[in-house]
Each structure stands twice: as C-alpha cells, then as structure tokens.
C-alpha cells in the first residue's frame, strides 16, 4: 500500500494572466515537512472534432516556447466558472469556427502531473456545422481563425492514417494531443 | 503561413528545487509586446520497459497534486548535464530496479506546451536485468522501490491488453504515459 502525502498549508506565490504559481507544505511518510511548487489550474478541455466524412479537424499553431508550429486538437484551459463541456464548445468554436450537435466525454488526464494539478477533459465532437466564415488560399487547409492577437490557427482535416503518419514522423509533438489520441484510439 | 512570435527578452523570476519560473517578453504579429510566463525545463525522459515475456513494467505512485495514485511508465526530468539517454537509464534503475541491454529513442513530445518548453524523450528499454533487490508481499506486484523519502513506487508487469483496459477504465490518467503509449502503439 502506497503512503500518501498530507497537505499542511497552501499559498499563492504569484498570479499571472494565464496561471497561478502555488506552494504547498506537505508531510512526508517519514514525518518531515517539505514544499511542493506547482502550477494551479482550473482544468482544461481538449476536443476531437470528427466530420460527417470521418475526418478529424486539427489546428496548426505557432508555439512560442519551442519556436515551432504544432499540429493539435483544439482545446484550452477553463476560464471563469465554465464547466468542462461549456469550455469545450467555446474552444471548438473559437479555434475551428465549428459548432457540434453532439459532444461526449471519453476520458481525462493530467498532462504534466509532477508540476500541475490540471485535469484535462477529452471530448469527441460530432455533427459539425460551420458557424464562422473562414478563408483559405491553400487547398489542404480548411481555413484560418484568430481569437486574440497572439493566436492564429490553420485548420486541417485529416484521416486516421494521416494522423498516425504524422505521429510516426514526429510532426505531431503536442503531448496533450497524443494523450487524447491514445484514449480515442483505444476506446473506439 | 503562420506568423511567428519573436523573443525580445528573458528573465528568471523564481527558481525552486524542481523547476524555474521564467518570463519572456515577445513581439506579436501586430508589433505589440506581451509577456510569456512559463516553466523552464532541461527536458525529460520517459521509458517503456519491455520484459523478455513481452510484458511492460509500470510504476504505481502517489501523486500529491491530485491526491491519488497514478500508474505510469518510469521517467523524470533531466538533471545536471545528463543526456536524455543517460537520464532514461538512471530513472529506469532508480524507479524500477532494472537495467536494460538495449534502449532506443522512439519519439518525443512536449507534455504541456502552453506552459513549459519541456521536450520529453520517449525510450523503449529491452533486455531487462534486475540490478537492485526488491521485496514484495503481493503476487501481482514485482516489488517496491524508493529513491528519496518523498517518492515510493510499486512496480507492476502488464500485458498490452491490460494497459489498454486500464486506459479504458481511466485507471491510467497520466498524460505523459498516455502520450508515450500513443507513440509506442503507432510506431510498433
């Protein structure tokens, strides 16, 4: 039986516009007190949008921290008092321009459980309908959206085998997308 | 073509024993300057250890931030000046008590790319040989190891279908393990 680590206190060390840096004191099995430094989160949602032709919508986005573009399923952190489902619908619309007639939860995970308490809820969205006009000059792309001045998204439509090939070639390197894809592939 | 975000400056805001909180200023496509707050990392390694009987070693560990046990592949952040491969060997030995005659890189991902620059290297370890004596009183378990007073690991040996069943039942909720499993399942 694994021993648990007991919380003694919690403190907000720094709040930035995107996340909160917290420090907890906790008691080790030996009785000694130690500190846990972490990224406090209200949770997240990631959405696997499937078209009526059995293709998957993915977004291509420049990721500043690794200075490269990343092909991902849409998603994001939960803001305000939204439920994971409300957040999933909002992120799907903002990032792809689509709404869905059906959204179902297929699993959840913590993306980085040594450093954050974030649980990310994985949804499958079907019955997609375009809600925002988007433009494209590239036939491989469905269009492009922006939802604030720092974010810009290319929207792509891919088959299962195309996604798997992009994983084999390491063109998909977003762990949250890979984790969602593992859950989707195994539960479907 | 996606616009890139250009770094203007970088600053270490806070260093704790586990990670560093950094703030960069960057230029948006519109020219406006904004801040990026992130967890700076030297990278990580995760190891998928496969026995001669085609079973997978996994570790069960209490995860403080979500107050529950988590079944995961061994791994951890890169310390000092280790290479990802050296770090993989070290984590495998410390967390499972095994060494491997063959370790190969099968992919890499960023577990949480909105918040950290960490790239996690995924290795498959084969030709496993026990290097540390471990004890167990549970026949489903290979043993138990500890490598500092806050960490304690139960070691389990699972078949592919058993891992997939644990993903279906949401008993596996560690995103880094799920991402590594997606890469392993698709590339093998």
């Amino acid at each position: 039986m694994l021993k648990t680590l007991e919380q003694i206190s919690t403190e907000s060390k720094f709040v930035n516009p995107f996340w909160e840096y917290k420090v907890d004191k906790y008691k080790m099995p030996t009785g000694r007190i130690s500190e846990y430094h972490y990224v406090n989160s209200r949770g997240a949602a990631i959405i696997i949008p499937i078209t009526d032709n059995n293709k998957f919508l993915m977004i291509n986005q420049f990721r500043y921290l690794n200075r490269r573009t990343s092909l991902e399923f849409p998603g994001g952190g939960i803001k305000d008092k939204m439920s994971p489902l409300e957040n999933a619908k909002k992120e799907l619309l903002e990032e792809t321009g689509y709404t869905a007639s059906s959204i179902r939860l297929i699993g959840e995970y913590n993306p980085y459980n040594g450093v954050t308490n974030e649980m990310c809820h994985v949804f499958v969205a079907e019955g997609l309908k375009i809600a925002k006009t988007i433009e494209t000059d590239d036939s491989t792309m469905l269009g492009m959206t922006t939802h604030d001045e720092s974010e810009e998204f290319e929207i792509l439509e891919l088959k299962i085998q195309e996604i798997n090939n992009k994983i084999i070639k390491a063109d998909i390197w977003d762990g949250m997308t890979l984790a969602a894809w593992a859950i989707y592939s195994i539960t479907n």
Side-chain angles (χ1 to χ4, degrees), chain A residues 155-170:
Chain A
I155 302 135
L156 285 90
E157 210 179 23
L158 298 165
K159 293 179 202 160
I160 288 183
Q161 196 49 53
E162 289 171 323
I163 295 173
N164 287 342
N165 286 340
K166 281 178 186 293
I167 292 171
I168 291 168
K169 291 194 292 175

Side-chain angles (χ1 to χ4, degrees), chain A residues 37 58 187:
Chain A
H37 295 248
M58 297 189 80
T187 57

Side-chain angles (χ1 to χ4, degrees), chain A residues 12-13 23 29 38 40 72 89 162 168 188:
Chain A
S12 182
K13 201 157 183 89
V23 182
Y38 62 103
N40 190 39
E72 306 176 3
K89 288 179 181 172
E162 289 171 323
I168 291 168
N188 273 269

Side-chain angles (χ1 to χ4, degrees), chain A residues 14-21 39 42:
Chain A
F14 197 86
V15 181
N16 64 51
F18 311 100
W19 48 272
E20 179 186 21
Y21 179 173
V39 172
R42 272 171 287 189

Side-chain angles (χ1 to χ4, degrees), chain A residues 19-187:
Chain A
W19 48 272
E20 179 186 21
Y21 179 173
K22 291 196 80 174
V23 182
D24 286 12
K25 289 199 196 311
Y26 69 94
K27 197 191 279 184
M28 292 185 185
T30 55
R32 199 159 78 82
I33 307 297
S34 190
E35 283 187 352
Y36 211 114
H37 295 248
Y38 62 103
V39 172
N40 190 39
S41 164
R42 272 171 287 189
I46 189 165
I47 308 99
I48 301 177
I50 309 178
T51 69
D52 294 345
N53 301 325
N54 253 318
K55 289 188 175 178
F56 296 76
L57 297 190
M58 297 189 80
I59 56 175
N60 204 28
Q61 178 181 10
F62 183 78
R63 285 294 188 178
Y64 171 76
L65 293 178
N66 297 92
R67 311 288 196 278
R68 53 192 277 216
T69 56
S70 176
L71 187 62
E72 306 176 3
F73 289 119
I78 296 175
K79 286 117 203 160
D80 311 318
K81 285 173 185 162
M82 283 193 170
S83 69
L85 177 62
E86 286 165 344
N87 190 61
K89 288 179 181 172
K90 176 182 150 290
E91 295 286 347
L92 178 66
L93 179 61
E94 283 182 352
E95 297 191 351
T96 70
Y98 281 79
T99 59
S101 64
S102 147
I103 302 197
R104 65 193 161 89
L105 185 71
I106 61 163
E108 58 179 45
Y109 60 82
N110 180 323
Y112 195 37
N113 75 12
V115 177
T116 183
N117 56 2
E118 178 165 302
M119 289 302 293
C120 178
H121 300 77
V122 184
F123 292 93
V124 166
E126 288 168 306
L128 302 180
K129 207 176 134 187
I130 196 140
K132 272 191 195 174
T133 309
I134 50 179
E135 286 173 19
T136 178
D137 53 6
D138 177 342
S139 63
T140 65
M141 221 193 289
L142 278 182
M144 192 177 277
T145 58
T146 51
H147 70 80
D148 71 38
E149 61 177 321
S150 76
E151 286 186 310
E152 194 185 53
F153 306 105
E154 288 172 354
I155 302 135
L156 285 90
E157 210 179 23
L158 298 165
K159 293 179 202 160
I160 288 183
Q161 196 49 53
E162 289 171 323
I163 295 173
N164 287 342
N165 286 340
K166 281 178 186 293
I167 292 171
I168 291 168
K169 291 194 292 175
D171 285 343
I172 293 176
W173 56 274
D174 170 43
M176 295 182 72
T177 292
L178 291 166
W181 192 239
I183 292 172
Y184 175 78
S185 302
I186 292 163
T187 57

